[in-house]
Amino acid sequence: MDLNVAGELLIQQIRQTSLLEWTAVVFGVSQVLLARKNNIWLYPTGIISVLCSSILFFQSKLYAETLLQGYYLLMSIYGWANWRNHSTSGASKITRSSRQEKWITWGIAVLGWGLLYIVLRSFTDSDVPFLDAFVSSTAWAGMWLLAKRKLENWIWLNISNLVAIPLLLYKQLYLFSVLTLILFVVAIFGYLDWKKTLDASEE
């Protein structure tokens, strides 16, 4: 793909972007920036992004993506409540994943990958079921860890972002690929910020 053509398509996509889509994108980016700052307001902003995205995906007949947004909505509500919970069972501070939580995370990623691949391969006309399923399942794992305020959430979310960028380019969704690249960079700093906070609390 010629870079000039790609640039023109990107500009064209920006011009054609609806207010609803811009709202979803702006609040989605805000969610990641707030997560980097370890700010609980990441959840209400994320919920707004999810609701807007769900409408867009449903209108585009991307029903699997709509269902995934439903998962993100549930995890956002769970995470919001969990972050506000200051009891020993809550997630009032940043911690590292326990051995059990690491196993659960891998289970979400691997089993989710397999399940989504089968569904996409069997019941949709997706031409990239393998990678599409991988991006979603690793994002599931990352969102679960984020809800529990675990440092490793950034690693899983960026594994998802790393594969999503070339996948979006392949689909010629240049605007979303650029946004995902931005989120990838922000997530790196999010990990470093959280690690610094965690290391300071352990001293």
Side-chain angles (χ1 to χ4, degrees):
M1 174 66 69
D2 184 88
L3 289 178
N4 291 330
V5 175
E8 291 175 2
L9 285 172
L10 176 60
I11 293 173
Q12 184 179 359
Q13 281 195 0
I14 292 174
R15 289 175 177 171
Q16 294 176 349
T17 301
S18 66
L19 178 60
L20 186 64
E21 189 171 348
W22 274 117
T23 302
V25 168
V26 169
F27 277 93
V29 172
S30 299
Q31 178 190 20
V32 177
L33 291 174
L34 288 167
R36 175 190 171 185
K37 295 298 183 182
N38 193 30
N39 190 312
I40 196 172
W41 281 96
L42 76 97
Y43 285 112
T45 56
I47 289 172
I48 294 172
S49 176
V50 163
L51 293 175
C52 293
S53 298
S54 298
I55 296 171
L56 289 168
F57 288 139
F58 186 80
Q59 290 175 342
S60 301
K61 298 183 179 180
L62 294 171
Y63 303 119
E65 292 292 338
T66 305
L67 290 174
L68 289 178
Q69 295 302 310
Y71 169 81
Y72 293 146
L73 177 61
L74 292 175
M75 290 307 299
S76 294
I77 295 172
Y78 168 73
W80 195 355
N82 207 30
W83 279 40
R84 288 175 60 86
N85 183 0
H86 294 285
S87 69
T88 56
S89 62
S92 59
K93 63 179 182 178
I94 300 168
T95 55
R96 290 185 171 86
S97 298
S98 66
R99 182 186 297 271
Q100 181 183 16
E101 287 165 338
K102 288 178 181 178
W103 278 109
I104 293 174
T105 305
W106 275 98
I108 293 172
V110 175
L111 294 177
W113 187 7
L115 178 62
L116 280 174
Y117 174 75
I118 292 171
V119 171
L120 291 173
R121 183 73 182 271
S122 304
F123 301 105
T124 75
D125 58 354
S126 173
D127 60 341
V128 286
F130 188 80
L131 292 179
D132 195 9
F134 179 85
V135 169
S136 295
S137 64
T138 47
W140 284 3
M143 281 294 293
W144 183 76
L145 288 173
L146 177 61
K148 298 183 75 63
R149 220 171 198 158
K150 300 298 178 179
L151 174 66
E152 295 81 3
N153 88 86
W154 296 108
I155 297 174
W156 284 94
L157 289 175
N158 253 1
I159 290 173
S160 178
N161 288 333
L162 189 62
V163 177
I165 294 169
L167 181 60
L168 291 168
L169 286 172
Y170 171 75
K171 286 292 187 178
Q172 297 185 7
L173 296 171
Y174 302 112
L175 178 59
F176 283 102
S177 66
V178 170
L179 290 172
T180 305
L181 177 61
I182 293 172
L183 295 178
F184 178 83
V185 174
V186 171
I188 292 174
F189 286 102
Y191 175 84
L192 295 175
D193 287 347
W194 278 37
K195 188 176 186 301
K196 182 179 179 180
T197 300
L198 181 58
D199 290 343
S201 68
E202 293 175 341
E203 289 180 355

